[in-house]
Amino acid sequence: MTTPGRPLLGCIADDFTGATDLANNLVRAGMRTVQTIGLPEPGAAAIEADALVVALKSRTVPAAEAVAQSLAALRWLQDQGVQQVYFKYCSTFDSTPAGNIGPVTDALLDALHGPGQGFTIACPAFPVNQRTVFKGHLFVGDLLLSDSSMRHHPLTPMHDANLVRVMQAQTRRRVGLVAQDVVAAGPQAIVARFAQLQAEGVGVAVVDAVSNADLMAIGVALKGLPLVTAGSGIAIGLPQNWGLGGDAARDAANGAANVAANAGTDASALPAFEGLAAAVSGSCSAATNAQVAAFQAAGRPAFAVDPLAIAAGHDVAAQALAWAEPLLAAGPVLVHATAEPAAVQAVQAQLGAERAGSLVEGVLAAVARGLVQRGVRRLVVAGGETSGAVVQALAVRQLAIGPQIDPGVPWTWAATGLGVPVHLALKSGNFGSTDFFLKTLA
Ligand code: ADP
């Protein structure tokens, strides 16, 4: 069982919203979890949690930089006394032959076991989110990864679904496979296969998984392994190794199709809501457009930020805050730059995509800060990059992870640099039901 105050599992996530996704799964599987934004300052107070998730921004930086960031995170997690380390990447295995999954895995194994030594797994499977691995091949829904929209990704296009081959191109270690029939035979069979592969000189085993039952069996087999590398799905099977169990474990045991269906475990307890409520949105995804429309259709007030007005030098943040201030006491408000693709393209044609993005992020971050200064204590943020900008503007260093709102989006609670705590819901683009703003701010 868990010893109060001592983290058991230490996680290194290669991006911000991916870290929150992992933390959400860990909480749902019964671990009290804290996510840090980068590494805490030296000398910061020890964190009371079962699991620590360090959010890095290392997915697409040069491999050497990703390795350096990850090793620094490993050292900090080791200082906290964690018993197992979890390197978390995307469930679509976002990487190139240059990295960063392979080089970071090599560096972590070298640091834990010595150069060229050690053994770990690679498993991006997350069946409830339509990511399965079979005979070493990654599927996104019914499509091979290489036939999915990931083949067009601007930074990490995935042209090969065979993860043994993809991983072998990135790592110095030999890559092997634990096939689904072995996984289905249970933890003992998986452990025996690990031993066989190690005897053959394999250092990284891609592991098949097509169901939550597979993830739970793999979880048992990973007990005591110093390093795990995976997407967020593998997280649901690990807490049982420390006698912890939550919704995910219960759902898997019941054979439920969707671990995301219910929310709330003891591990997810956060302080009660207080203060005023508001949302800021810089996401222009289809889901967010529908969510903004639903908020307005319900009669709630919304302020649209015009990127061209920002570029023309208007103090749009001050305007938005002056608009919001008298309304806040009557209920939640929304400040957004959310727009349909044609409008976004028109703005980008004038300002350039990068400049438009950073101007909008700057205004929304300033608005978020101003809202908290005006008494908002429950803040919903839509957009991955936007969330990063807001968290920075609020000088948040770590997030306590609470109950799940929708798959991949938990409530979080954070101290800010403004001297007050806030509840934050940080939603990446396509996540969340249509009534997301209404239900989170109700
Ligand atoms: P998502 O999670 O949906 O990708 P992000 O916040 O990560 O959302 O990215 C959206 C980007 O688009 C941000 O950089 C944001 O500032 C920018 N943006 C938001 N609204 C507009 C707009 N109306 N025109 C141009 N860019 C915009």
Side-chain angles (χ1 to χ4, degrees), residues 282-285 288 305 307 337-339 343-344 347-348 353 356-358 360-361 364 382-387 427-430:
S283 163
C284 297
S285 71
T288 306
V305 167
T338 302
V344 174
V347 165
Q348 289 177 339
S358 71
V360 169
E361 284 168 34
L364 292 178
E385 295 297 327
T386 308
S387 293
K427 182 194 89 77
S428 83
N430 273 311

Side-chain angles (χ1 to χ4, degrees), residues 34-189:
V34 169
Q35 175 180 335
T36 68
I37 318 300
L39 286 176
E41 303 283 353
I47 299 171
E48 281 242 348
D50 301 321
L52 302 174
V53 180
V54 179
L56 300 180
K57 215 171 177 316
S58 58
R59 184 170 295 168
T60 54
V61 301
E65 207 176 300
V67 163
Q69 285 186 30
S70 304
L71 287 176
L74 173 67
R75 279 190 293 275
W76 180 75
L77 290 168
Q78 287 176 315
D79 288 346
Q80 310 311 305
V82 303
Q83 296 171 13
Q84 189 168 46
V85 174
Y86 189 133
F87 169 40
K88 191 273 175 191
Y89 37 75
C90 190
S91 65
T92 41
F93 215 72
D94 301 23
S95 56
T96 71
N100 290 336
I101 296 176
V104 169
T105 300
D106 276 336
L108 294 173
L109 280 175
D110 287 352
L112 287 163
H113 298 276
Q117 303 296 305
F119 174 83
T120 188
I121 66 155
C123 182
F126 193 10
V128 299
N129 272 2
Q130 305 296 313
R131 310 287 192 265
T132 53
V133 181
F134 187 68
K135 297 204 183 289
H137 288 68
L138 176 56
F139 289 82
V140 177
D142 295 330
L143 298 174
L144 282 168
L145 175 69
S146 44
D147 292 327
S148 77
S149 61
M150 279 303 293
R151 71 190 191 281
H152 299 309
H153 193 282
L155 301 174
T156 53
M158 302 302 289
H159 297 299
D160 189 358
N162 182 330
L163 296 184
V164 174
R165 216 157 39 204
V166 170
M167 190 62 177
Q168 192 63 78
Q170 301 180 27
T171 171
R172 296 190 309 272
R173 287 172 169 79
R174 204 167 144 208
V175 181
L177 176 66
V178 181
Q180 205 271 332
D181 57 338
V182 174
V183 172
Q188 280 185 342

